[in-house]
């Protein structure tokens, strides 16, 4: 794979021909849309596909191109990037009849930014190698804000040489980019990330409910807590939602519910016990069951309020 730009010379007397690296980007939602836009700004030729065609419009307005199918998005791509919700979606995009393996050029580098089961990633990486492709699992953390600001944390599993080849893509969309091991390692680290984030959100939600019960000035309290050992990226990014009681989705509860299922399933397979993780997974499931699945995961606050008889306070 070339860097952002590759050069080929037909003769010393001719000007160099500039080849722009083409990225086929599958999944242009809350996360994928901004990421694809940043790749355009970084100089990539981006061809995007989304099941809801209208979601490709921001990419087109940014200078990219929309495609009517996965096949059309990946056929001429040097790199294929994927950002879809769950393991079955990734499997369908890659290995389905109309998927990447059936239509991309042999040797294409595939970067899966989705958060899925580590065992599924390992299986798909083996299929990719057998079909002549290279696959990196590269789940991200940072939510909608991180995607919009090109400040994502990216944990990458796969071959070191493939990681090096993909680095220009990662640098265009992320701030902290780390190769964490072979295929599946990226998804395992992401599962740990989701355990930590969910536990922090739940603890923050309980602290907010506790502080409100005592009539403390909540904004001032969270300001001072943020400056001490209790401070965290979760507190900084989610306190606004908890202060306002509004939870527009940066990362939806239904997706975090899926991720907590991955965490607990993988933990069981490894023979390790995650008591807090199991509890938070149940609280996330409760939020989904009562209809909060489309809200931001900071809406775990609503569950604490319900349990405390303080809903809407």
């Amino acid at each position: 794979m070339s860097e952002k730009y590759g050069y080929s010379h037909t003769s010393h007397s001719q000007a160099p021909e500039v080849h722009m690296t083409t990225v086929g980007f599958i999944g242009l939602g809350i996360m994928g849309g901004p990421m694809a836009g940043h790749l355009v700004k970084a100089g990539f030729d981006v061809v995007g596909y989304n099941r809801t065609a209208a979601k490709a419009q921001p990419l087109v307005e940014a200078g990219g191109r929309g495609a009517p199918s996965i096949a059309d998005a990946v056929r001429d791509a040097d790199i294929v990037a994927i950002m879809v919700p769950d393991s079955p979606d990734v499997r369908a995009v890659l290995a389905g009849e109309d998927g990447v393996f059936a239509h991309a050029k042999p040797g294409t580098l595939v970067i899966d930014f989705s958060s899925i089961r580590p065992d599924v990633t390992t299986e798909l990486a083996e299929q990719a190698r057998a079909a002549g492709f290279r696959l990196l699992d590269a789940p991200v953390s940072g939510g909608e804000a991180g995607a919009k600001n090109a400040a994502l944390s990216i944990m990458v599993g796969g071959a070191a040489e493939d990681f090096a080849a993909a680095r220009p893509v990662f640098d265009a969309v992320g701030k902290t980019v780390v190769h964490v091991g072979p295929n599946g390692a990226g998804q395992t680290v992401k599962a740990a990330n989701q355990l930590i984030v969910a536990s922090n959100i739940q603890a923050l939600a309980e602290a907010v409910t506790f502080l409100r019960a005592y009539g403390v000035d909540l904004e001032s309290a969270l300001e001072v807590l943020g400056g001490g050992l209790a401070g965290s990226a979760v507190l900084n990014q989610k306190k606004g939602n908890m202060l306002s009681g509004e939870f527009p989705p940066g990362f939806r509860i239904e997706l975090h519910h899926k991720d907590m299922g991955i965490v607990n399933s993988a933990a069981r397979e490894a023979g390790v016990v995650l008591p807090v993780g199991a509890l938070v997974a149940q609280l996330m499931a409760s939020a989904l069951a009562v209809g909060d699945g489309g809200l931001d995961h900071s809406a775990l606050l609503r569950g604490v309020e319900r349990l405390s008889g303080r809903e809407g306070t």
Side-chain angles (χ1 to χ4, degrees):
M1 189 200 82
S2 62
E3 295 290 338
K4 289 184 186 179
Y5 301 96
Y7 299 91
S8 59
H9 296 266
T10 55
S11 74
H12 291 292
S13 62
Q14 291 179 318
E17 178 188 348
V18 178
H19 171 68
M20 184 182 294
T21 298
T22 299
V23 178
F25 205 110
I26 313 302
L28 302 171
I30 289 175
M31 300 292 291
M35 292 169 70
H38 287 306
L39 290 176
V40 172
K41 293 176 185 176
F44 292 92
D45 173 29
V46 182
V47 185
Y49 169 78
N50 198 85
R51 286 182 299 182
T52 304
K55 290 189 177 180
Q57 189 57 35
L59 172 63
V60 173
E61 293 172 357
R65 294 180 283 150
S69 68
I70 292 174
D72 289 308
V74 307
R75 188 172 288 115
D76 297 318
D78 304 295
I79 304 166
V80 171
I82 304 167
M83 176 57 96
V84 294
D86 204 350
S87 301
D89 305 296
V90 174
R91 196 188 298 276
V93 166
L94 289 181
E97 183 178 344
D98 297 319
V100 174
F101 295 163
H103 294 285
K105 299 180 295 186
T108 297
L109 178 60
V110 180
I111 305 171
D112 181 18
F113 288 114
S114 316
S115 295
I116 66 172
R117 287 166 38 192
D119 61 319
V120 172
T121 282
T122 302
E123 175 192 330
L124 288 170
E126 292 172 356
Q127 290 183 37
R129 282 190 290 272
F133 298 99
R134 301 170 291 158
L135 177 66
L136 294 170
D137 48 297
V140 305
S141 180
E144 182 180 14
K148 286 184 173 179
N149 296 320
L152 293 167
S153 177
I154 309 175
M155 45 225 83
V156 187
E161 58 269 27
D162 296 337
F163 171 74
R167 191 64 196 243
V169 172
F170 294 142
D171 288 343
V173 299
K175 185 176 180 181
T176 302
V177 182
V178 180
H179 182 223
V180 295
N183 285 119
Q187 298 295 352
T188 302
V189 175
K190 179 58 187 289
N193 179 88
Q194 297 303 80
L195 168 62
I196 294 169
V197 171
S199 301
N200 270 268
I201 290 175
Q202 179 64 25
L204 177 59
E206 293 181 15
V208 165
T209 304
F210 171 74
L211 290 165
R212 279 186 172 143
Y214 276 91
V216 173
D217 181 85
L218 189 57
E219 189 168 358
S220 298
L222 294 180
E223 180 182 355
V224 69
L225 290 173
L229 191 57
S232 67
V234 164
L235 194 159
N236 291 338
Q237 293 185 28
K238 301 303 179 181
K239 66 180 179 181
N241 291 358
M242 294 192 179
L243 286 166
S244 68
E246 301 291 331
F247 304 98
F251 188 76
R252 298 191 303 275
I253 279 176
E254 61 188 354
L255 291 177
H256 212 141
H257 167 70
K258 176 262 297 183
D259 290 345
M260 293 308 295
I262 292 172
V263 170
N264 282 285
S265 176
R268 184 167 57 249
E269 291 172 11
V272 298
V273 179
L274 306 178
V276 173
L279 175 58
V280 176
Q282 290 298 307
L283 293 168
M284 200 76 72
S286 173
L288 183 67
V290 299
D292 286 349
L295 300 180
D296 186 76
H297 49 180
S298 54
L300 283 178
L301 174 65
R302 288 162 54 89
V304 180
E305 292 174 339
R306 282 190 289 267
L307 289 170
S308 303
R310 293 178 173 270
E311 191 172 5
T313 60

